[in-house]
């Protein structure tokens, strides 16, 4: 029989993990963990549930960052008024994971720590330049989410020894805040074999910072998956976009560059490599135009 | 450190403290330890189906993915706590009234997901309802009725509409006074919406053993040896059964040639998942563990999934007699002349794929020896008496030593015609003399249960310049997989459906049922006909386009009239409404066409809408005997009991039977009791297949009831001293016409029967054997229903994604007995047809469950309009015809024709996945076939 603990603090959670020397495992929503437990793919002696640790279930908006606690569910993200207004890509990505009854309990952090190349939450985190707060016996530090993916299903975070307590990403400059001359828009595009309850054939998240006058792209972040063993930042595409005007032509060109730098694989059920490559331009340029429109709508 | 093991929580408003493993799932806790079986398991607890949804602190969660540890200190609401039969929640009432409950297996989860929504959002938009229910699969209803029900309940809970929260369902339902044509509520729905209906997995049986089938991991192999010794020594294992243990004939009788219940050593397994041994243990986990311990050796053999390979001269024979199981040909007229006289001839090749029934309840069978020592098997089936015979044959028993009972069943769509799980269970119970339950895992169901047969269909078809069809040549290769499983009967069905309700000058149609090592094909809604009809209706669309003809007018011009010689070479024997159907759909079709044209005129280059049309004819009620029996009884207390075998796996046939009886007698439906589908109690009404229940069994029920009425009048006439013809049945009394004071209660008539020594139970027969003598053609009764559907789709030309916006379905179903159920059957069929058109494809080795086989979810649901055309049947009960299967036939081709027209190229392979659609747009050749 497994033990099931509700530590009252992050420290206590760490102590629980330590006490079991690798045989205890963190659990948040548990939606990915449960099938693994049932099939005995993992058999921890103890589950350490962090969802009742005070403050981990908060979304905090500070001067510079949006911080999302490890116990914040995808449903909370999906329903957050602030995120709906300012970071729609994150809201749409949260809505893409499973369905309502999964989103009720599954967390963004959990989605990232699972380290699947097609994880919606991981793809959007990349585009948002998110960082993870990692706590373990050696202390605490921020690490870019992008650096946490080792290979499909393997995260640099060890759930038997380490805790990601929260994620943060730069708060989008808005007319009332931050960048005096920048506006930011985000967008999410996803294609699957059916509208939901299915892993994506391809998903794309974009964050775009535009000069307030709409004249050129300050910088853009473009993330895609599954197009590589881990969620992928399309840096060549981003380089092309930097400093260019936000026009359909530029976005189309960006789509083609993205197509050139991605290396998707074939999957018998979902789609072939060729198909995935074929739709990258449409997906990327669509997401870019939506992000640009959203950014510019803030200027009006 | 925090407490462990002892967990306190609030369950349905009651505080509970339990000792439990906190790492186990809430679903298992509820079902196995707390006896609350309302939450269902539809997938392998993978979180893929939603049937296990409960509320945790008011939010919907998958209980299969919720560790018990998580509920400590929280509130859990299960369906049992939503509302009891005497105090239904408005959602429960609305679900019943809207026809949102068919098999009921998804219902508890749906209701709870809907409740969570309404608690947060009392005035939800349709979009919010869809979003909230998106994670809950329903295979029966097509979702629309469920959305409607949630809207109705929300309105009532806000105080709009008639009853307020927690209103009791009027019982008996208000509409029961008008038995036929009114919206009669399902008899069993209250049980289903309250989670009280006991499906096989929900039945608690003391001393129950659990069986699992050991299955071949190879697609084709010789079974060299089997050694159960090690497995039998494992804890909890009672016995490992093999072919050597079978006392009688180790086969599936005439259901399937050459298919064993357990494969004998030395024989070959012809598909992955073929049964090899049966493990029986004290718990499901022990049975599962024992599977791996059975020593088994195979010699792998070459295998193929492809009919073309299997037909090759040098093909490896799967069976001694070669790889063609059966074939059938229909030819009349001079085809060469007809095609030579055509102005346009088109040739097409269409391909369909393996489909999974994916009923929400997995295969589940319970067996025990009853007090009289009789082997009793409880399991979903279409024909309890046939199963009784199969079981008796397997065990070398007399049929009367076997009883088969149909329990509440979570959907079939044809899948539950496979006798294998019933036979395996019967074998274990018979040999061990203990109660045994066999439940397939979802993975096992995907691997071993029968599928829709994949077809390759080639047409050559001609027409004159003025739009008249001339000749048709069609060749069909049907993949029956590793076992027959009724594939022997398939070619006839494939051929008949390949010509439609059209006039042809000459016909040459041939179909073959071909063995491969793919999954076995079997019955599936419309058995063998949707694939042919799909290819036909798409080919006709191509032809119309080449002729520059409007697809609707083209079909109408060629539509078969009642007296015409049909595709079969002779006129059909029931009323035919195809022309009426096409005319009825015309206004909707024209509306859609205007909408689509207007959209495309201004649309962005990346999107196009398309409109598709398809028709169908469907031969209903072909199967089984031409003589069908039912009984009616006047019970001692004056109510009427109807006895028949019309298994109800969710399609609502039980309600139809009691409606028919009520109408026949002019009685309220609550005076009718139905005893259905139990070999110990009910007569053999033949197989329930090919949508025959309403027409055939319904007729037998009507006749039995009529005979009973004659007997009642006869007896009452003696007592009231008047001619029987002067009597009428009014409100449960027998009254002398124009003398309301002279009457008898049915109870006193029953008493009189007894004192006179007359039987209160009388049979009724519906018998067409004189019209269709056994020895002569047509082998099957030429009774057809027809229909047509339009589909409007939007295609993203850059990604190939398709969205179906709207479907209009016009069907001639004869007289509609229960409009609510008729609509539900049609909407459910449309969604299944949509799945086949766009997303469903069972890929052997890869499709293992709902996460890798894509059935339509709430979000895929188009706007659906159902328009019945009631062309009364000549011989059906009250003018009814068969309904349940036919509606799926036009859905797939209508959608595919719409896609083809939107993209300006023909989609010839199913399903039209985004990848295939984009490939067709870009002119890439279709990829190699998988089936
Ligand atoms: S049983 Fe829980 S989602 Fe299927
Ligand atoms: S009623 Fe929904 S699955 Fe049967």
């Amino acid at each position: 029989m497994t033990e099931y603990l509700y530590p009252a603090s992050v420290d206590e959670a760490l102590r629980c993990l330590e006490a079991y020397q690798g045989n205890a495992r963190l659990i948040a929503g548990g939606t990915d963990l449960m099938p693994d437990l049932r099939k005995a793919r993992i058999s921890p002696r103890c589950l350490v549930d962090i969802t009742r640790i005070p403050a981990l279930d908060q979304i905090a908006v500070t001067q510079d960052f949006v911080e999302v606690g490890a116990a914040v569910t995808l449903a909370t993200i999906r329903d957050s008024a602030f995120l709906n207004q300012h970071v729609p890509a994150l809201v749409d990505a949260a809505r893409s994971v499973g369905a309502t009854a999964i989103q009720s309990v599954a967390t963004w952090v959990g989605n990232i720590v699972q380290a699947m190349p097609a994880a919606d939450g991981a793809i959007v985190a990349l585009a948002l330049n998110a960082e993870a707060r990692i706590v373990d016996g050696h202390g605490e530090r921020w690490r870019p989410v992008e650096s946490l993916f080792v290979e499909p299903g393997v995260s640099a975070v060890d759930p038997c020894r380490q805790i990601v307590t929260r994620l943060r990403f730069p708060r989008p400059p808005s007319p009332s805040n931050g960048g005096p001359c920048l506006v930011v828009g985000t967008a999410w595009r996803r294609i699957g074999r059916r509208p939901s309850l299915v892993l994506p054939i391809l998903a794309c998240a974009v964050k775009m910072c535009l000069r307030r006058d709409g004249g050129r792209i300050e910088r853009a972040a473009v993330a895609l998956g599954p197009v590589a063993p881990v969620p992928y930042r399309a840096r060549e595409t981003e380089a092309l976009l930097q400093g260019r005007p936000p026009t359909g032509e530029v976005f189309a060109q960006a789509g083609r560059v993205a197509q050139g730098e991605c290396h998707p694989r074939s999957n018998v059920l979902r789609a072939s490599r060729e198909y995935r490559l074929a739709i990258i331009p449409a997906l990327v340029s669509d997401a870019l135009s939506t992000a640009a429109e959203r950014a510019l709508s803030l200027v009006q | 450190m925090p407490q462990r093991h002892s967990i306190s929580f609030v369950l349905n408003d009651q505080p509970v403290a339990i000792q439990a493993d906190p790492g186990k799932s809430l679903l298992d806790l509820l079902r196995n330890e707390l006896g609350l079986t309302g939450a269902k398991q539809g997938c392998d607890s993978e979180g893929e189906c939603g049937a296990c949804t409960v509320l945790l602190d008011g939010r919907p969660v998958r209980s299969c993915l919720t560790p018990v540890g998580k509920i400590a200190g929280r509130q859990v609401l299960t369906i049992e706590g939503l509302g009891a039969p005497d105090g239904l929640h408005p959602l429960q009432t609305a679900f019943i009234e809207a026809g949102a409950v068919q098999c009921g297996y998804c219902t508890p989860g749906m209701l709870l997901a809907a409740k969570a929504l309404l608690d947060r959002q009392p005035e939800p938009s349709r979009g919010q309802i869809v979003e909230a229910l998106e994670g809950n699969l329903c295979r029966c209803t097509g979702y629309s009725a469920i959305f409607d029900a949630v809207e109705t309940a929300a309105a009532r809970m806000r105080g709009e509409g008639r009853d307020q929260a927690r209103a009791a369902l009027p019982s008996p339902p208000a509409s029961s006074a008008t038995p036929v044509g009114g919206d009669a509520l399902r008899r069993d729905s209250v049980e289903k919406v309250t989670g009280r209906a006991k499906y096989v997995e929900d039945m608690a049986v003391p001393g129950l053993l659990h069986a699992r089938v050991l299955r071949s991991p190879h697609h084709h192999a010789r079974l060299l040896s089997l050694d159960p010794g090690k497995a039998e020594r494992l804890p909890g294992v009672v016995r490992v059964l093999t072919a050597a243990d079978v006392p009688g004939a180790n086969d599936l009788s005439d259901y399937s040639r050459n298919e064993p219940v357990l494969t004998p050593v030395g024989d070959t397994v012809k598909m992955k998942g073929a049964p090899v041994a049966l493990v029986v243990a004290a718990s499901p986990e022990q049975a599962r563990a024992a599977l791996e311990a059975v020593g088994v050796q195979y010699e792998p053999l070459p295998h193929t999934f492809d009919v073309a390979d299997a037909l090759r001269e040098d093909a490896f024979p799967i069976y001694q007699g070669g790889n063609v199981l059966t074939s059938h040909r229909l030819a009349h007229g001079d085809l060469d002349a007809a095609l030579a006289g055509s102005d346009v001839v088109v040739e097409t090749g269409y391909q369909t794929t393996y489909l999974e029934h994916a009923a929400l309840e997995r295969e589940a069978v319970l067996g025990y020896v009853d007090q009289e020592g009789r082997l009793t098997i409880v399991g979903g089936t279409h024909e309890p008496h046939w199963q009784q015979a199969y079981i008796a044959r397997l065990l070398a028993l007399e049929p009367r030593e076997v009883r088969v009972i149909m329990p509440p069943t979570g959907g079939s769509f044809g899948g539950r015609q496979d006798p294998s799980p019933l036979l395996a269970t019967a074998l274990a119970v018979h040999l061990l003399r203990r109660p045994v339950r066999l439940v397939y895992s979802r993975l096992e169901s995907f691997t071993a249960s029968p599928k829709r047969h994949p077809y390759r269909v080639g047409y050559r078809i001609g027409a004159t310049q003025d739009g008249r069809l001339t000749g048709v040549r069609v060749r069909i290769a049907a993949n029956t997989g590793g076992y027959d499983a009724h594939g022997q009967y398939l070619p006839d069905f494939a051929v008949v459906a390949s010509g439609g309700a059209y006039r042809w000058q000459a016909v040459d149609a041939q179909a073959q049922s071909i063995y491969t090592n793919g999954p076995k094909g079997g019955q599936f809604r419309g058995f063998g006909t949707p694939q042919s009809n799909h290819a036909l209706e798409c080919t006709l669309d191509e032809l119309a386009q080449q002729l520059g003809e409007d697809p609707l007018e083209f079909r109408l011009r060629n539509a078969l009239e009642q007296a015409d010689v049909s595709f079969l070479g002779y006129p059909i024997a029931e009323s035919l409404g195809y022309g009426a159907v096409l005319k009825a759909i015309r206004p909707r079709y024209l509306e859609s066409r205007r909408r689509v044209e207007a959209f495309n005129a201004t649309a962005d280059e990346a999107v196009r809408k398309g409109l598709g049309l398809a028709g169908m004819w469907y031969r209903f009620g072909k199967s089984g005997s031409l003589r069908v029996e039912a009984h009616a009884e006047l019970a001692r207390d004056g109510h009427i009991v109807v006895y028949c075998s019309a298994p109800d796996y969710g399609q609502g046939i039980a309600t139809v039977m009691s409606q028919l009886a009520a109408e026949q007698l002019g009685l309220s439906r609550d005076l009718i009791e139905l005893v259905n589908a139990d070999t110990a109690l009910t007569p053999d009404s033949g197989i329930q297949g090919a949508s025959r229940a309403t027409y055939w069994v319904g007729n037998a029920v009507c006749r039995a009831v009529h005979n009973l009425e004659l007997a009642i009048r006869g007896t009452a006439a003696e007592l009231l001293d008047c001619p029987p013809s002067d009597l009428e049945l009014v409100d449960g009394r027998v009254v002398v016409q124009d003398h309301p004071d002279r009457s008898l209660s049915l109870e006193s008539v029953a008493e009189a029967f007894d004192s006179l020594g007359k039987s209160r139970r009388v049979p009724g027969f519906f018998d067409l054997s004189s019209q269709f003598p056994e020895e002569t053609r047509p082998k099957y009764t030429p009774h057809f229903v027809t229909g047509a559907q339009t589909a409007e789709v939007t295609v993203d030309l850059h990604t190939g994604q398709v969205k179906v916006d709207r479907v209009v379905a016009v069907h001639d179903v004869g007289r509609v007995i229960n409009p609510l159920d008729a609509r539900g059957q049609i909407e459910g069929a449309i969604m299944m047809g949509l799945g086949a058109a766009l997303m469903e494809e069972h890929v052997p080795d890869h499709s293992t469950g709902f996460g890798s086989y894509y059935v339509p979810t709430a979000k895929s649901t188009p706007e659906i309009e159902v328009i019945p055309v009631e062309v009364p049947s000549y011989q059906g009960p009250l003018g009814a015809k068969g309904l349940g299967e036919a509606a799926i036939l036009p859905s797939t081709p209508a959608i595919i024709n719409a896609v083809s027209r939107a993209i300006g190229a023909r989609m010839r392979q199913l399903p039209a996945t985004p990848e295939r659609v984009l490939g067709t747009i870009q002119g890439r050749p279709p990829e190699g076939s998988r089936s």
Side-chain angles (χ1 to χ4, degrees), chain B residues 102-104 106 138-141 360:
Chain B
Q102 288 192 27
C103 82
C106 69
C138 175
R139 195 59 163 158
C140 303
T141 64
L360 261 276

Side-chain angles (χ1 to χ4, degrees), chain A residues 54-131:
Chain A
L56 287 196
D57 62 348
Q58 301 294 314
I59 299 177
V61 182
T62 68
Q63 183 64 31
D64 299 317
F65 290 101
V66 178
E67 295 200 0
V68 178
V72 171
T73 63
L74 296 169
T76 306
I77 290 174
R78 185 194 65 205
D79 298 337
S80 149
F82 176 86
L83 295 175
N84 269 278
Q85 191 181 346
H86 297 286
V87 199
L90 178 56
V91 169
D92 291 344
R95 179 173 282 127
S96 303
V97 179
T100 318
I102 303 280
Q103 295 153 17
S104 300
V105 290
T107 62
W108 191 17
V109 169
N111 194 247
I112 288 171
V113 175
Q114 283 296 108
M116 299 312 286
D120 301 293
I123 295 163
V124 75
L126 252 53
L128 295 174
N129 279 312
E131 298 171 289

Side-chain angles (χ1 to χ4, degrees), chain B residues 885-905:
Chain B
E885 302 174 85
I888 199 173
L889 270 71
S891 312
T892 308
I895 291 168
I896 293 300
N897 283 337
V899 174
S900 295
R901 283 178 181 262
I903 66 175

Side-chain angles (χ1 to χ4, degrees), chain A residues 1-8 12 15-17 19-20 27-39 41 47 49-52 73 75-76 78-79 95-96 98-105 189-199 201 267-276 278-280 282-283 285-286, chain B residues 1-5 20-26 28 44-48 53 56 59-74 120 131-137 288 796 798-801 838-841 843 846-847 850-857 859-860 911 913-916 918-919 922 924 930:
Chain A
M1 178 159 333
T2 332
E3 293 224 41
Y4 201 96
L5 306 178
Y6 281 111
E12 193 185 330
R15 284 202 304 276
C16 295
L17 291 181
Y20 279 88
I27 176 168
T31 51
D32 281 331
L33 205 60
M34 281 300 282
D36 285 350
L37 279 176
R38 199 170 29 77
K39 287 179 226 158
R41 279 198 289 244
L47 292 171
D49 190 320
I50 56 159
T51 58
R52 296 187 190 182
T73 63
T76 306
R78 185 194 65 205
D79 298 337
R95 179 173 282 127
S96 303
T100 318
I102 303 280
Q103 295 153 17
S104 300
V105 290
R189 277 282 272 143
R190 186 188 205 261
I191 297 235
R193 285 282 304 267
R194 67 180 168 195
S196 71
L197 273 184
V198 70
L199 291 170
I201 290 174
N267 175 298
V268 173
L269 294 168
R270 277 180 277 157
S272 68
R273 165 187 160 78
E274 291 69 30
Y275 175 73
R276 284 177 158 148
I279 61 171
I280 285 175
L283 217 66
S285 67
D286 255 27
Chain B
M1 280 207 174
Q3 259 292 358
R4 59 172 172 128
H5 300 337
D21 182 345
K24 288 275 182 294
S25 77
L26 173 57
D28 288 346
D44 290 339
S45 287
E46 294 279 346
E48 291 162 348
T53 304
L56 187 59
R59 293 169 317 165
V61 298
R62 308 272 212 233
S63 60
C64 70
L65 296 183
T66 306
V68 168
K70 276 212 177 283
I71 65 174
R74 316 273 288 277
R120 271 189 309 126
E131 183 93 41
L133 301 181
E134 175 63 10
N136 293 66
L137 301 180
R288 188 171 344 119
D796 181 328
H798 290 165
T799 63
Q801 272 187 309
L838 300 182
M839 51 190 100
E840 291 183 35
E841 176 169 31
V843 185
H846 294 276
S847 299
F850 288 122
S852 46
Y853 180 84
Y854 313 112
V855 304
T857 58
K859 270 188 195 161
S860 311
T913 59
E915 174 156 11
R916 290 199 181 112
L918 189 68
Q922 298 177 341
R924 274 201 302 274
R930 291 171 180 141

